[in-house]
């Protein structure tokens, strides 16, 4: 069954209580539990929703499957369930698609200029260039990872002015509110909690295949980009977690991998360190911020999406279509309980 795009209501601004999840939050204020938190889980790509302000600029032909595959949408249910299962965990969720502004990229000084540069580089790629990178200009990414349009490039300066205004409003309502909520959570946890180990987990999921134009997610990624069977943990170091400026000390990273592996029933080969992903902006930022706090740091957890989906949902997504699998909450809650036990 086909489904349309997921749109968020126009004009909605999000605040702390919309974005932050902890156990029994209906009965306990966050200030009352902040001192007991040992793990802060961040969901920068947890939403697939587009703010309605961007409707005039979204490319025609985009489907819900393409919209959701462009996000790490499973991390929303996983992060919320993890916080519900463990009183020491708090989850902060970005309410908007990464399209609006990606919190896991360094904050751009001139986002609109970067977006113009992205489209200029994209024109080179579509003309046949093979040595073009989008690194450094993709805080607003106007295409899917299969190269299909999400945003339409404005045809003139009036279009650019309108797009700039819509993006500015949306950024203030969503990703910037997410950033403020993360800062508030970290401030309260660090101020109220004892000087013990604090872990920040930037939570992500990625498939080892990309999508064809017909919606079938079957195009294999290069070997160097493929995730292990369960999860890659990145601390900016090497395959053992070692390095000069790691975001989490290597022994702590290896202990985390061992505990998660035991809880998930994964072998050593099914959880990798820094292969293929070392961790991006959130990992770097919070790793540096926590460097002086003993036993603390940040890690990017990049789950293989197939492991979160399960075989039935994966098989569905390998067929042409425009929808996204439903009924995954129980499976994700079970995985979250295992992470809580770890």
């Amino acid at each position: 069954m086909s489904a349309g795009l997921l749109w968020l209501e126009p004009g909605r601004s999000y605040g702390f209580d919309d974005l932050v999840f902890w156990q029994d939050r209906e009965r306990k204020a966050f200030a009352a539990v902040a001192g007991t938190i040992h793990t802060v889980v961040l969901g920068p790509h947890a939403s697939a929703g587009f703010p309605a302000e961007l409707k005039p600029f979204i490319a025609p032909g985009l489907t819900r499957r393409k919209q959701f595959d462009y996000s790490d949408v499973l991390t929303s249910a996983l992060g919320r369930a993890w916080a519900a299962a463990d009183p020491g965990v708090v989850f902060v969720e970005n309410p908007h698609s990464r399209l609006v502004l990606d919190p896991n990229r360094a904050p751009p000084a001139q986002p609109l200029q970067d977006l113009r540069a992205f489209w200029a580089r994209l024109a080179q790629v579509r003309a046949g260039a093979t040595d073009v990178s989008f690194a450094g200009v993709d805080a607003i990414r106007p295409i899917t990872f299969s190269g299909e349009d999400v945003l339409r490039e404005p045809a003139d300066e009036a279009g650019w002015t309108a797009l700039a205004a819509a993006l500015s409003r949306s950024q203030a309502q969503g990703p910037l509110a997410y950033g403020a909520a993360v800062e508030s959570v970290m401030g309260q946890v660090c101020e109220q909690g004892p000087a013990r180990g604090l872990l920040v987990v930037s939570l992500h999921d990625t498939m080892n295949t990309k999508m064809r134009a017909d919606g079938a997610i079957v195009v294999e990624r290069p070997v160097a980009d493929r995730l292990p069977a369960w999860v890659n943990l990145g601390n900016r170091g090497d395959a053992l977690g070692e390095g000069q400026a790691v975001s989490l000390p290597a022994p702590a990273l290896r202990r985390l991998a061992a505990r998660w592996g035991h809880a998930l029933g994964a072998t050593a080969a099914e959880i990798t360190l820094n292969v293929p992903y070392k961790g991006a902006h959130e990992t770097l930022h919070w790793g540096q911020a926590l460097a002086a706090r003993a036993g603390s740091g940040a890690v990017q957890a990049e789950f293989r999406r197939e492991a979160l989906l399960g075989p039935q949902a994966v098989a569905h997504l390998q067929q042409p279509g425009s929808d996204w699998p439903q009924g995954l909450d129980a499976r994700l809650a079970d995985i979250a309980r295992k992470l809580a036990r770890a």
Side-chain angles (χ1 to χ4, degrees):
M1 180 178 179
S2 180
L5 298 183
L6 174 62
W7 294 104
L8 305 175
E9 59 189 278
R12 180 173 180 184
S13 295
Y14 294 81
F16 187 95
D17 290 340
D18 301 305
L19 307 179
V20 183
F21 301 85
W22 62 95
Q23 192 180 83
D24 291 333
R25 70 176 190 153
E26 297 81 6
R27 297 188 299 109
K28 299 177 183 177
F30 185 68
V33 303
T36 67
I37 297 297
H38 55 68
T39 303
V40 178
V41 182
L42 306 180
H45 303 155
S47 174
F50 295 157
E53 285 78 1
L54 290 180
K55 256 187 184 180
F57 309 100
I58 297 299
L62 196 70
T63 65
R64 176 166 289 217
R65 184 178 295 185
K66 292 174 182 177
Q67 180 189 26
F68 278 40
D69 183 60
Y70 173 77
S71 173
D72 297 3
V73 70
L74 299 180
T75 61
S76 174
L78 181 63
R80 293 185 189 202
W82 190 359
D86 188 336
V89 171
V90 59
F91 175 58
V92 190
E93 178 178 316
N94 180 17
H96 284 176
S97 166
R98 66 195 303 160
L99 170 68
V100 178
L101 188 68
D102 190 338
N104 205 35
R105 298 290 184 269
Q110 299 176 310
L112 266 294
Q113 287 192 20
D114 288 351
L115 183 55
R116 288 179 187 264
F118 191 109
W119 264 312
R121 296 183 193 184
L122 180 61
Q124 296 176 42
V125 170
R126 289 177 173 173
T130 59
D131 59 348
V132 176
S133 169
F134 298 117
V137 297
D138 63 343
I140 302 171
R141 184 183 177 91
I143 61 173
T144 69
F145 291 92
S146 298
E148 294 196 51
D149 290 333
V150 180
L151 277 182
R152 293 185 295 109
E153 183 176 7
D156 52 33
E157 286 306 311
W160 270 104
T161 299
L163 176 58
L167 283 169
S168 180
R169 287 194 300 271
S170 299
Q171 288 161 4
Q173 293 163 358
L176 296 182
Y178 163 78
V182 173
E183 292 285 349
S184 178
V185 164
M186 290 297 295
Q188 292 182 66
V189 169
C190 290
E191 180 181 348
Q192 297 185 36
R196 53 172 167 73
L198 176 63
L199 179 67
V200 174
V201 179
S202 186
L203 188 62
H204 302 262
D205 69 74
T206 300
M207 290 189 83
N208 274 354
T209 49
K210 296 182 181 182
M211 189 180 295
R212 286 192 320 224
D214 64 2
I217 308 179
V218 293
V219 181
E220 287 193 343
R221 292 179 182 269
V223 172
D225 294 340
R226 293 179 198 168
L227 286 159
W230 262 106
V231 63
N232 170 79
L233 299 175
N235 75 335
R236 315 284 296 182
D238 61 18
L240 294 176
E242 303 284 355
Q244 291 298 311
V246 294
S247 61
L248 180 71
L253 183 71
R254 292 194 291 265
R255 286 195 299 271
L256 182 68
R259 290 170 181 168
W260 281 23
H262 179 74
L264 294 168
T267 68
E270 292 176 325
I271 297 179
T272 56
L273 307 182
N274 297 301
V275 180
Y277 301 125
K278 291 180 176 293
H281 173 70
E282 287 189 333
T283 306
L284 177 62
H285 174 77
W286 290 112
Q288 292 174 340
L290 294 170
R293 186 178 175 122
S296 300
V299 64
Q300 180 163 315
E302 192 87 35
F303 278 87
R304 182 173 175 174
R305 190 177 297 163
E306 291 90 331
L308 300 182
L309 286 165
Q312 184 174 351
V314 170
H316 180 79
L317 290 172
Q318 289 173 337
Q319 301 302 312
S322 61
D323 63 342
W324 189 259
Q326 301 297 305
L328 297 171
D329 284 359
R331 177 180 177 84
L332 294 170
D334 181 64
I335 294 170
R337 286 190 291 271
K338 292 175 180 177
L339 294 176
R341 286 197 294 271

